[in-house]
Short mmCIF file of all heavy atoms in Angstrom, two decimals:
data_model
loop_
_atom_site.label_atom_id
_atom_site.label_comp_id
_atom_site.label_asym_id
_atom_site.label_seq_id
_atom_site.Cartn_x
_atom_site.Cartn_y
_atom_site.Cartn_z
N MET A 1 0.83 -1.18 0.00
CA MET A 1 0.00 0.00 0.00
C MET A 1 0.88 1.25 0.00
O MET A 1 1.88 1.31 0.67
CB MET A 1 -0.92 -0.02 1.22
CG MET A 1 -1.78 1.18 1.34
SD MET A 1 -2.86 1.02 2.76
CE MET A 1 -4.38 1.44 1.98
N LEU A 2 0.46 2.24 -0.78
CA LEU A 2 1.22 3.48 -0.85
C LEU A 2 0.82 4.41 0.28
O LEU A 2 -0.34 4.55 0.61
CB LEU A 2 0.93 4.19 -2.18
CG LEU A 2 1.33 3.45 -3.44
CD1 LEU A 2 0.86 4.22 -4.66
CD2 LEU A 2 2.83 3.26 -3.49
N ASP A 3 1.81 5.03 0.86
CA ASP A 3 1.47 6.05 1.85
C ASP A 3 1.48 7.42 1.17
O ASP A 3 1.87 7.56 0.03
CB ASP A 3 2.40 6.00 3.06
CG ASP A 3 3.85 6.29 2.71
OD1 ASP A 3 4.10 6.98 1.71
OD2 ASP A 3 4.73 5.82 3.45
N ARG A 4 1.04 8.42 1.88
CA ARG A 4 0.87 9.76 1.29
C ARG A 4 2.16 10.29 0.67
O ARG A 4 2.13 10.93 -0.36
CB ARG A 4 0.36 10.72 2.35
CG ARG A 4 0.15 12.11 1.83
CD ARG A 4 -1.01 12.77 2.50
NE ARG A 4 -1.16 14.15 2.14
CZ ARG A 4 -1.64 14.60 0.99
NH1 ARG A 4 -2.00 13.77 0.07
NH2 ARG A 4 -1.77 15.88 0.77
N SER A 5 3.29 10.02 1.27
CA SER A 5 4.55 10.56 0.77
C SER A 5 4.99 9.91 -0.53
O SER A 5 5.78 10.49 -1.27
CB SER A 5 5.64 10.43 1.83
OG SER A 5 5.88 9.07 2.10
N SER A 6 4.49 8.73 -0.85
CA SER A 6 4.94 8.06 -2.06
C SER A 6 3.98 8.26 -3.24
O SER A 6 4.28 7.85 -4.34
CB SER A 6 5.14 6.57 -1.80
OG SER A 6 3.91 5.96 -1.46
N ARG A 7 2.82 8.88 -3.02
CA ARG A 7 1.88 9.15 -4.11
C ARG A 7 2.23 10.47 -4.78
O ARG A 7 2.56 11.44 -4.11
CB ARG A 7 0.45 9.27 -3.57
CG ARG A 7 -0.26 7.95 -3.50
CD ARG A 7 -1.67 8.19 -3.16
NE ARG A 7 -1.67 8.83 -1.84
CZ ARG A 7 -2.73 9.17 -1.18
NH1 ARG A 7 -3.91 8.97 -1.68
NH2 ARG A 7 -2.64 9.71 0.00
N PRO A 8 2.11 10.50 -6.10
CA PRO A 8 2.36 11.77 -6.77
C PRO A 8 1.25 12.77 -6.47
O PRO A 8 0.09 12.40 -6.34
CB PRO A 8 2.38 11.39 -8.24
CG PRO A 8 1.64 10.11 -8.33
CD PRO A 8 1.80 9.43 -7.01
N ALA A 9 1.62 14.04 -6.32
CA ALA A 9 0.62 15.08 -6.12
C ALA A 9 -0.06 15.36 -7.45
O ALA A 9 0.51 15.16 -8.50
CB ALA A 9 1.29 16.33 -5.58
N GLY A 10 -1.27 15.83 -7.37
CA GLY A 10 -2.00 16.20 -8.58
C GLY A 10 -3.25 15.38 -8.76
O GLY A 10 -3.64 14.59 -7.91
N GLU A 11 -3.89 15.60 -9.90
CA GLU A 11 -5.17 14.95 -10.18
C GLU A 11 -4.96 13.51 -10.66
O GLU A 11 -4.14 13.25 -11.53
CB GLU A 11 -5.95 15.74 -11.22
CG GLU A 11 -7.35 15.20 -11.42
CD GLU A 11 -8.25 16.15 -12.17
OE1 GLU A 11 -7.75 17.16 -12.71
OE2 GLU A 11 -9.46 15.89 -12.20
N ALA A 12 -5.73 12.62 -10.08
CA ALA A 12 -5.71 11.21 -10.48
C ALA A 12 -6.66 11.02 -11.67
O ALA A 12 -7.62 11.77 -11.84
CB ALA A 12 -6.15 10.33 -9.32
N ARG A 13 -6.40 10.02 -12.45
CA ARG A 13 -7.33 9.58 -13.49
C ARG A 13 -7.83 8.21 -13.07
O ARG A 13 -7.04 7.31 -12.81
CB ARG A 13 -6.64 9.51 -14.84
CG ARG A 13 -6.35 10.91 -15.39
CD ARG A 13 -5.83 10.90 -16.82
NE ARG A 13 -6.71 10.16 -17.70
CZ ARG A 13 -6.29 9.25 -18.58
NH1 ARG A 13 -5.03 8.96 -18.70
NH2 ARG A 13 -7.16 8.63 -19.36
N LEU A 14 -9.16 8.07 -13.00
CA LEU A 14 -9.77 6.83 -12.54
C LEU A 14 -10.74 6.29 -13.58
O LEU A 14 -11.29 7.04 -14.38
CB LEU A 14 -10.54 7.08 -11.24
CG LEU A 14 -9.80 7.73 -10.09
CD1 LEU A 14 -10.74 7.96 -8.92
CD2 LEU A 14 -8.61 6.90 -9.67
N ARG A 15 -10.96 5.00 -13.52
CA ARG A 15 -12.06 4.36 -14.25
C ARG A 15 -13.05 3.96 -13.17
O ARG A 15 -12.71 3.22 -12.24
CB ARG A 15 -11.59 3.15 -15.04
CG ARG A 15 -12.72 2.54 -15.87
CD ARG A 15 -12.20 1.52 -16.83
NE ARG A 15 -11.59 0.43 -16.10
CZ ARG A 15 -11.89 -0.86 -16.25
NH1 ARG A 15 -12.77 -1.23 -17.14
NH2 ARG A 15 -11.30 -1.77 -15.54
N TYR A 16 -14.27 4.48 -13.26
CA TYR A 16 -15.28 4.26 -12.24
C TYR A 16 -16.05 2.98 -12.54
O TYR A 16 -16.61 2.82 -13.62
CB TYR A 16 -16.22 5.47 -12.18
CG TYR A 16 -15.47 6.74 -11.85
CD1 TYR A 16 -15.09 7.62 -12.85
CD2 TYR A 16 -15.11 7.03 -10.55
CE1 TYR A 16 -14.38 8.77 -12.56
CE2 TYR A 16 -14.39 8.18 -10.24
CZ TYR A 16 -14.03 9.04 -11.26
OH TYR A 16 -13.32 10.16 -10.96
N LEU A 17 -16.05 2.08 -11.57
CA LEU A 17 -16.74 0.80 -11.68
C LEU A 17 -17.96 0.80 -10.76
O LEU A 17 -18.19 1.77 -10.03
CB LEU A 17 -15.78 -0.32 -11.29
CG LEU A 17 -14.44 -0.32 -12.05
CD1 LEU A 17 -13.51 -1.37 -11.47
CD2 LEU A 17 -14.66 -0.55 -13.53
N ASP A 18 -18.73 -0.27 -10.76
CA ASP A 18 -19.96 -0.33 -9.96
C ASP A 18 -19.73 -0.09 -8.48
O ASP A 18 -20.47 0.64 -7.85
CB ASP A 18 -20.68 -1.65 -10.17
CG ASP A 18 -21.35 -1.71 -11.54
OD1 ASP A 18 -21.78 -0.66 -12.04
OD2 ASP A 18 -21.45 -2.81 -12.10
N ALA A 19 -18.75 -0.72 -7.90
CA ALA A 19 -18.53 -0.57 -6.45
C ALA A 19 -17.08 -0.24 -6.12
O ALA A 19 -16.68 -0.34 -4.97
CB ALA A 19 -18.95 -1.84 -5.74
N ASP A 20 -16.32 0.16 -7.12
CA ASP A 20 -14.90 0.40 -6.92
C ASP A 20 -14.40 1.31 -8.04
O ASP A 20 -15.16 1.69 -8.92
CB ASP A 20 -14.14 -0.93 -6.93
CG ASP A 20 -12.81 -0.86 -6.23
OD1 ASP A 20 -12.45 0.19 -5.68
OD2 ASP A 20 -12.09 -1.89 -6.24
N VAL A 21 -13.13 1.62 -7.99
CA VAL A 21 -12.49 2.40 -9.06
C VAL A 21 -11.16 1.73 -9.42
O VAL A 21 -10.54 1.08 -8.60
CB VAL A 21 -12.24 3.87 -8.64
CG1 VAL A 21 -13.53 4.60 -8.40
CG2 VAL A 21 -11.32 3.96 -7.45
N ASP A 22 -10.76 1.90 -10.66
CA ASP A 22 -9.43 1.49 -11.11
C ASP A 22 -8.61 2.77 -11.28
O ASP A 22 -9.08 3.73 -11.90
CB ASP A 22 -9.49 0.79 -12.47
CG ASP A 22 -9.86 -0.67 -12.36
OD1 ASP A 22 -9.73 -1.25 -11.28
OD2 ASP A 22 -10.28 -1.23 -13.40
N VAL A 23 -7.41 2.77 -10.75
CA VAL A 23 -6.53 3.92 -10.89
C VAL A 23 -5.78 3.79 -12.21
O VAL A 23 -5.02 2.85 -12.41
CB VAL A 23 -5.54 4.02 -9.71
CG1 VAL A 23 -4.59 5.19 -9.91
CG2 VAL A 23 -6.30 4.14 -8.39
N ILE A 24 -6.01 4.74 -13.09
CA ILE A 24 -5.32 4.77 -14.38
C ILE A 24 -4.04 5.59 -14.25
O ILE A 24 -2.99 5.21 -14.77
CB ILE A 24 -6.23 5.36 -15.47
CG1 ILE A 24 -7.45 4.45 -15.66
CG2 ILE A 24 -5.49 5.57 -16.77
CD1 ILE A 24 -8.53 5.03 -16.51
N GLN A 25 -4.16 6.71 -13.55
CA GLN A 25 -2.99 7.57 -13.27
C GLN A 25 -3.08 8.00 -11.81
O GLN A 25 -4.05 8.63 -11.40
CB GLN A 25 -3.02 8.80 -14.17
CG GLN A 25 -1.88 9.75 -13.92
CD GLN A 25 -1.95 10.93 -14.89
OE1 GLN A 25 -2.38 10.80 -16.01
NE2 GLN A 25 -1.51 12.08 -14.43
N PRO A 26 -2.10 7.65 -11.00
CA PRO A 26 -2.14 8.00 -9.57
C PRO A 26 -2.17 9.50 -9.34
O PRO A 26 -1.69 10.29 -10.16
CB PRO A 26 -0.85 7.41 -9.02
CG PRO A 26 -0.39 6.42 -10.02
CD PRO A 26 -0.90 6.90 -11.35
N GLY A 27 -2.76 9.88 -8.23
CA GLY A 27 -2.82 11.28 -7.83
C GLY A 27 -3.47 11.40 -6.47
O GLY A 27 -3.83 10.40 -5.84
N ASP A 28 -3.66 12.63 -6.02
CA ASP A 28 -4.23 12.89 -4.70
C ASP A 28 -5.73 13.13 -4.73
O ASP A 28 -6.40 13.00 -3.71
CB ASP A 28 -3.58 14.13 -4.08
CG ASP A 28 -2.13 13.91 -3.75
OD1 ASP A 28 -1.76 12.77 -3.41
OD2 ASP A 28 -1.36 14.88 -3.84
N TYR A 29 -6.26 13.55 -5.87
CA TYR A 29 -7.66 13.96 -5.92
C TYR A 29 -8.23 13.75 -7.32
O TYR A 29 -7.49 13.52 -8.28
CB TYR A 29 -7.79 15.44 -5.54
CG TYR A 29 -7.16 16.37 -6.56
CD1 TYR A 29 -7.89 16.87 -7.64
CD2 TYR A 29 -5.82 16.73 -6.46
CE1 TYR A 29 -7.31 17.70 -8.57
CE2 TYR A 29 -5.24 17.56 -7.39
CZ TYR A 29 -5.99 18.05 -8.45
OH TYR A 29 -5.41 18.86 -9.39
N VAL A 30 -9.57 13.85 -7.42
CA VAL A 30 -10.28 13.96 -8.69
C VAL A 30 -11.14 15.21 -8.59
O VAL A 30 -11.37 15.74 -7.50
CB VAL A 30 -11.14 12.72 -9.01
CG1 VAL A 30 -10.26 11.51 -9.29
CG2 VAL A 30 -12.13 12.42 -7.90
N THR A 31 -11.63 15.69 -9.70
CA THR A 31 -12.42 16.92 -9.72
C THR A 31 -13.89 16.59 -9.91
O THR A 31 -14.25 15.79 -10.78
CB THR A 31 -11.94 17.84 -10.86
OG1 THR A 31 -10.55 18.11 -10.66
CG2 THR A 31 -12.71 19.13 -10.89
N CYS A 32 -14.74 17.22 -9.09
CA CYS A 32 -16.18 17.04 -9.20
C CYS A 32 -16.66 17.59 -10.53
O CYS A 32 -16.34 18.73 -10.89
CB CYS A 32 -16.90 17.74 -8.04
SG CYS A 32 -18.70 17.69 -8.17
N ALA A 33 -17.44 16.80 -11.26
CA ALA A 33 -17.95 17.21 -12.57
C ALA A 33 -18.99 18.32 -12.48
O ALA A 33 -19.22 19.01 -13.47
CB ALA A 33 -18.55 16.00 -13.28
N VAL A 34 -19.59 18.52 -11.32
CA VAL A 34 -20.62 19.54 -11.16
C VAL A 34 -20.07 20.81 -10.53
O VAL A 34 -20.28 21.90 -11.03
CB VAL A 34 -21.80 18.99 -10.31
CG1 VAL A 34 -22.83 20.07 -10.02
CG2 VAL A 34 -22.45 17.81 -11.00
N THR A 35 -19.35 20.67 -9.43
CA THR A 35 -18.90 21.84 -8.67
C THR A 35 -17.49 22.29 -9.02
O THR A 35 -17.11 23.41 -8.71
CB THR A 35 -18.92 21.54 -7.17
OG1 THR A 35 -17.95 20.53 -6.87
CG2 THR A 35 -20.30 21.10 -6.70
N GLY A 36 -16.70 21.41 -9.60
CA GLY A 36 -15.30 21.73 -9.88
C GLY A 36 -14.39 21.61 -8.67
O GLY A 36 -13.20 21.88 -8.77
N ARG A 37 -14.94 21.19 -7.54
CA ARG A 37 -14.14 21.05 -6.31
C ARG A 37 -13.24 19.83 -6.40
O ARG A 37 -13.58 18.82 -7.01
CB ARG A 37 -15.05 20.90 -5.10
CG ARG A 37 -15.83 22.16 -4.81
CD ARG A 37 -16.81 21.97 -3.70
NE ARG A 37 -16.11 21.95 -2.41
CZ ARG A 37 -16.74 21.90 -1.25
NH1 ARG A 37 -18.05 21.86 -1.19
NH2 ARG A 37 -16.05 21.90 -0.13
N LYS A 38 -12.08 19.94 -5.77
CA LYS A 38 -11.15 18.82 -5.71
C LYS A 38 -11.62 17.85 -4.62
O LYS A 38 -11.85 18.26 -3.48
CB LYS A 38 -9.74 19.29 -5.40
CG LYS A 38 -9.14 20.11 -6.51
CD LYS A 38 -7.76 20.60 -6.14
CE LYS A 38 -7.18 21.42 -7.27
NZ LYS A 38 -5.86 21.96 -6.91
N ILE A 39 -11.75 16.58 -4.97
CA ILE A 39 -12.19 15.54 -4.04
C ILE A 39 -10.98 14.67 -3.70
O ILE A 39 -10.47 13.96 -4.57
CB ILE A 39 -13.28 14.65 -4.65
CG1 ILE A 39 -14.43 15.50 -5.21
CG2 ILE A 39 -13.78 13.63 -3.64
CD1 ILE A 39 -15.35 14.74 -6.15
N PRO A 40 -10.51 14.69 -2.45
CA PRO A 40 -9.42 13.78 -2.08
C PRO A 40 -9.85 12.33 -2.32
O PRO A 40 -11.01 11.98 -2.07
CB PRO A 40 -9.23 14.05 -0.59
CG PRO A 40 -9.85 15.39 -0.35
CD PRO A 40 -10.96 15.51 -1.34
N LEU A 41 -8.96 11.52 -2.84
CA LEU A 41 -9.34 10.15 -3.18
C LEU A 41 -9.92 9.38 -1.99
O LEU A 41 -10.86 8.61 -2.16
CB LEU A 41 -8.15 9.38 -3.76
CG LEU A 41 -7.69 9.84 -5.14
CD1 LEU A 41 -6.60 8.92 -5.65
CD2 LEU A 41 -8.83 9.91 -6.12
N GLN A 42 -9.39 9.63 -0.79
CA GLN A 42 -9.90 8.92 0.37
C GLN A 42 -11.32 9.36 0.74
O GLN A 42 -12.01 8.66 1.47
CB GLN A 42 -8.96 9.03 1.58
CG GLN A 42 -8.82 10.43 2.14
CD GLN A 42 -7.75 11.25 1.48
OE1 GLN A 42 -7.28 10.95 0.39
NE2 GLN A 42 -7.34 12.33 2.15
N ALA A 43 -11.79 10.49 0.21
CA ALA A 43 -13.14 10.99 0.50
C ALA A 43 -14.12 10.73 -0.64
O ALA A 43 -15.30 11.05 -0.53
CB ALA A 43 -13.08 12.49 0.78
N LEU A 44 -13.66 10.14 -1.73
CA LEU A 44 -14.51 9.90 -2.90
C LEU A 44 -15.58 8.86 -2.57
O LEU A 44 -15.28 7.72 -2.21
CB LEU A 44 -13.67 9.42 -4.08
CG LEU A 44 -14.42 9.11 -5.37
CD1 LEU A 44 -15.12 10.35 -5.90
CD2 LEU A 44 -13.46 8.53 -6.40
N ARG A 45 -16.85 9.26 -2.67
CA ARG A 45 -17.98 8.37 -2.37
C ARG A 45 -19.02 8.30 -3.48
O ARG A 45 -19.81 7.38 -3.53
CB ARG A 45 -18.69 8.82 -1.09
CG ARG A 45 -17.82 8.89 0.14
CD ARG A 45 -17.47 7.50 0.67
NE ARG A 45 -16.69 7.57 1.89
CZ ARG A 45 -15.38 7.62 1.96
NH1 ARG A 45 -14.66 7.63 0.86
NH2 ARG A 45 -14.75 7.67 3.11
N TYR A 46 -19.03 9.32 -4.34
CA TYR A 46 -20.09 9.42 -5.35
C TYR A 46 -19.48 9.54 -6.74
O TYR A 46 -18.61 10.37 -6.97
CB TYR A 46 -20.97 10.66 -5.08
CG TYR A 46 -21.59 10.64 -3.72
CD1 TYR A 46 -20.98 11.28 -2.65
CD2 TYR A 46 -22.78 9.96 -3.50
CE1 TYR A 46 -21.55 11.26 -1.39
CE2 TYR A 46 -23.36 9.93 -2.25
CZ TYR A 46 -22.74 10.58 -1.19
OH TYR A 46 -23.30 10.55 0.05
N TRP A 47 -19.98 8.70 -7.67
CA TRP A 47 -19.54 8.76 -9.05
C TRP A 47 -20.56 8.10 -9.94
O TRP A 47 -21.46 7.41 -9.48
CB TRP A 47 -18.17 8.12 -9.24
CG TRP A 47 -18.10 6.66 -8.92
CD1 TRP A 47 -18.49 5.60 -9.72
CD2 TRP A 47 -17.60 6.06 -7.72
NE1 TRP A 47 -18.25 4.41 -9.10
CE2 TRP A 47 -17.71 4.66 -7.86
CE3 TRP A 47 -17.07 6.58 -6.56
CZ2 TRP A 47 -17.31 3.78 -6.87
CZ3 TRP A 47 -16.67 5.70 -5.57
CH2 TRP A 47 -16.79 4.32 -5.73
N SER A 48 -20.42 8.31 -11.23
CA SER A 48 -21.29 7.69 -12.23
C SER A 48 -20.46 6.75 -13.09
O SER A 48 -19.48 7.17 -13.71
CB SER A 48 -21.93 8.75 -13.12
OG SER A 48 -22.57 8.14 -14.23
N VAL A 49 -20.88 5.50 -13.13
CA VAL A 49 -20.22 4.52 -14.00
C VAL A 49 -20.51 4.86 -15.45
O VAL A 49 -19.63 4.84 -16.30
CB VAL A 49 -20.70 3.09 -13.67
CG1 VAL A 49 -20.15 2.08 -14.66
CG2 VAL A 49 -20.31 2.71 -12.24
N ASP A 50 -21.77 5.21 -15.76
CA ASP A 50 -22.16 5.50 -17.13
C ASP A 50 -21.47 6.75 -17.69
O ASP A 50 -21.03 6.75 -18.83
CB ASP A 50 -23.68 5.69 -17.23
CG ASP A 50 -24.44 4.41 -16.93
OD1 ASP A 50 -23.88 3.31 -17.15
OD2 ASP A 50 -25.60 4.50 -16.47
N LEU A 51 -21.39 7.80 -16.88
CA LEU A 51 -20.78 9.05 -17.33
C LEU A 51 -19.29 9.14 -17.03
O LEU A 51 -18.63 10.06 -17.52
CB LEU A 51 -21.52 10.24 -16.70
CG LEU A 51 -23.01 10.35 -17.03
CD1 LEU A 51 -23.65 11.48 -16.24
CD2 LEU A 51 -23.21 10.54 -18.52
N GLN A 52 -18.78 8.23 -16.18
CA GLN A 52 -17.37 8.23 -15.79
C GLN A 52 -16.97 9.58 -15.21
O GLN A 52 -15.99 10.21 -15.62
CB GLN A 52 -16.47 7.83 -16.96
CG GLN A 52 -16.59 6.37 -17.34
CD GLN A 52 -16.10 5.45 -16.22
OE1 GLN A 52 -14.91 5.43 -15.90
NE2 GLN A 52 -17.00 4.69 -15.62
N GLU A 53 -17.77 10.01 -14.21
CA GLU A 53 -17.53 11.29 -13.53
C GLU A 53 -17.60 11.10 -12.02
O GLU A 53 -18.33 10.24 -11.53
CB GLU A 53 -18.63 12.30 -13.89
CG GLU A 53 -18.68 12.67 -15.34
CD GLU A 53 -19.83 13.60 -15.65
OE1 GLU A 53 -20.86 13.61 -14.93
OE2 GLU A 53 -19.69 14.34 -16.64
N ALA A 54 -16.89 11.95 -11.31
CA ALA A 54 -16.92 11.97 -9.85
C ALA A 54 -17.75 13.15 -9.38
O ALA A 54 -17.85 14.16 -10.08
CB ALA A 54 -15.50 12.09 -9.30
N TYR A 55 -18.33 13.02 -8.17
CA TYR A 55 -19.16 14.08 -7.60
C TYR A 55 -18.77 14.34 -6.15
O TYR A 55 -18.47 13.41 -5.40
CB TYR A 55 -20.64 13.71 -7.68
CG TYR A 55 -21.04 13.31 -9.07
CD1 TYR A 55 -21.35 12.00 -9.37
CD2 TYR A 55 -21.04 14.24 -10.10
CE1 TYR A 55 -21.68 11.62 -10.65
CE2 TYR A 55 -21.36 13.87 -11.40
CZ TYR A 55 -21.68 12.56 -11.67
OH TYR A 55 -21.99 12.19 -12.95
N TRP A 56 -18.82 15.61 -5.76
CA TRP A 56 -18.46 16.03 -4.41
C TRP A 56 -19.35 15.38 -3.36
O TRP A 56 -18.88 14.92 -2.34
CB TRP A 56 -18.55 17.55 -4.32
CG TRP A 56 -18.23 18.07 -2.96
CD1 TRP A 56 -19.14 18.50 -2.03
CD2 TRP A 56 -16.96 18.19 -2.36
NE1 TRP A 56 -18.48 18.88 -0.89
CE2 TRP A 56 -17.13 18.70 -1.08
CE3 TRP A 56 -15.66 17.92 -2.79
CZ2 TRP A 56 -16.08 18.95 -0.21
CZ3 TRP A 56 -14.62 18.17 -1.93
CH2 TRP A 56 -14.82 18.67 -0.67
N ASP A 57 -20.67 15.38 -3.60
CA ASP A 57 -21.62 14.84 -2.64
C ASP A 57 -22.86 14.33 -3.36
O ASP A 57 -22.95 14.40 -4.58
CB ASP A 57 -21.97 15.88 -1.57
CG ASP A 57 -22.57 17.16 -2.13
OD1 ASP A 57 -22.97 17.18 -3.32
OD2 ASP A 57 -22.64 18.14 -1.38
N ALA A 58 -23.82 13.84 -2.58
CA ALA A 58 -25.05 13.29 -3.15
C ALA A 58 -25.84 14.36 -3.90
O ALA A 58 -26.46 14.07 -4.93
CB ALA A 58 -25.90 12.65 -2.06
N ASP A 59 -25.82 15.58 -3.40
CA ASP A 59 -26.54 16.67 -4.06
C ASP A 59 -25.97 16.93 -5.45
O ASP A 59 -26.71 17.09 -6.42
CB ASP A 59 -26.49 17.93 -3.20
CG ASP A 59 -27.35 19.04 -3.77
OD1 ASP A 59 -28.54 18.77 -4.08
OD2 ASP A 59 -26.84 20.16 -3.92
N ALA A 60 -24.66 16.98 -5.56
CA ALA A 60 -24.02 17.20 -6.86
C ALA A 60 -24.32 16.04 -7.81
O ALA A 60 -24.60 16.26 -8.99
CB ALA A 60 -22.51 17.36 -6.69
N ALA A 61 -24.29 14.82 -7.31
CA ALA A 61 -24.61 13.65 -8.14
C ALA A 61 -26.05 13.73 -8.62
O ALA A 61 -26.34 13.46 -9.81
CB ALA A 61 -24.37 12.37 -7.36
N SER A 62 -26.96 14.10 -7.76
CA SER A 62 -28.36 14.23 -8.11
C SER A 62 -28.58 15.31 -9.18
O SER A 62 -29.31 15.10 -10.14
CB SER A 62 -29.18 14.55 -6.86
OG SER A 62 -30.53 14.73 -7.18
N GLN A 63 -27.91 16.44 -9.01
CA GLN A 63 -28.01 17.52 -10.00
C GLN A 63 -27.56 17.04 -11.37
O GLN A 63 -28.19 17.32 -12.39
CB GLN A 63 -27.16 18.71 -9.58
CG GLN A 63 -27.69 19.49 -8.43
CD GLN A 63 -26.74 20.60 -8.04
OE1 GLN A 63 -26.12 21.25 -8.91
NE2 GLN A 63 -26.58 20.84 -6.75
N ARG A 64 -26.47 16.30 -11.40
CA ARG A 64 -25.92 15.81 -12.67
C ARG A 64 -26.86 14.79 -13.31
O ARG A 64 -27.05 14.79 -14.52
CB ARG A 64 -24.54 15.21 -12.45
CG ARG A 64 -23.92 14.69 -13.70
CD ARG A 64 -23.67 15.82 -14.71
NE ARG A 64 -22.92 15.31 -15.80
CZ ARG A 64 -23.37 15.29 -17.07
NH1 ARG A 64 -24.54 15.77 -17.37
NH2 ARG A 64 -22.63 14.79 -18.01
N MET A 65 -27.46 13.91 -12.52
CA MET A 65 -28.36 12.90 -13.06
C MET A 65 -29.60 13.55 -13.67
O MET A 65 -30.09 13.11 -14.71
CB MET A 65 -28.76 11.89 -11.98
CG MET A 65 -27.62 11.03 -11.48
SD MET A 65 -26.74 10.14 -12.77
CE MET A 65 -25.14 10.93 -12.69
N VAL A 66 -30.10 14.62 -13.07
CA VAL A 66 -31.24 15.35 -13.62
C VAL A 66 -30.87 15.96 -14.97
O VAL A 66 -31.61 15.86 -15.94
CB VAL A 66 -31.74 16.43 -12.64
CG1 VAL A 66 -32.73 17.36 -13.30
CG2 VAL A 66 -32.35 15.77 -11.40
N LYS A 67 -29.69 16.58 -15.06
CA LYS A 67 -29.23 17.17 -16.32
C LYS A 67 -28.99 16.11 -17.39
O LYS A 67 -29.26 16.34 -18.56
CB LYS A 67 -27.95 17.97 -16.09
CG LYS A 67 -28.16 19.25 -15.37
CD LYS A 67 -26.85 20.00 -15.21
CE LYS A 67 -27.06 21.26 -14.40
NZ LYS A 67 -25.79 21.98 -14.19
N ALA A 68 -28.51 14.95 -16.99
CA ALA A 68 -28.21 13.88 -17.95
C ALA A 68 -29.49 13.35 -18.59
O ALA A 68 -29.47 12.88 -19.72
CB ALA A 68 -27.44 12.76 -17.27
N ARG A 69 -30.60 13.41 -17.87
CA ARG A 69 -31.88 12.92 -18.40
C ARG A 69 -32.51 13.89 -19.38
O ARG A 69 -33.31 13.51 -20.20
CB ARG A 69 -32.86 12.68 -17.25
CG ARG A 69 -32.51 11.51 -16.42
CD ARG A 69 -33.58 11.26 -15.40
NE ARG A 69 -32.96 10.60 -14.26
CZ ARG A 69 -33.47 10.58 -13.06
NH1 ARG A 69 -34.61 11.18 -12.81
NH2 ARG A 69 -32.85 9.95 -12.09
N ASP A 70 -32.16 15.17 -19.26
CA ASP A 70 -32.77 16.20 -20.14
C ASP A 70 -32.25 16.12 -21.54
O ASP A 70 -31.28 15.63 -21.90
CB ASP A 70 -32.51 17.60 -19.57
CG ASP A 70 -33.28 17.82 -18.28
OD1 ASP A 70 -34.22 17.08 -18.01
OD2 ASP A 70 -32.90 18.75 -17.54
#
């Protein structure tokens, strides 16, 4: 397991799966597709498998799902 000092700083690239993620490019955070906020990887809880996007919180995920249906 990598500790904080051995991970590269910057944005990670992930592949979002049903109950997990695959790290394509290591990093410290991903960016919320709705708010633009940086989400630390250890705090990432919300994402879309279909859209391959991360979300800051449930509200941001909900907002994005409404827009995706329109």
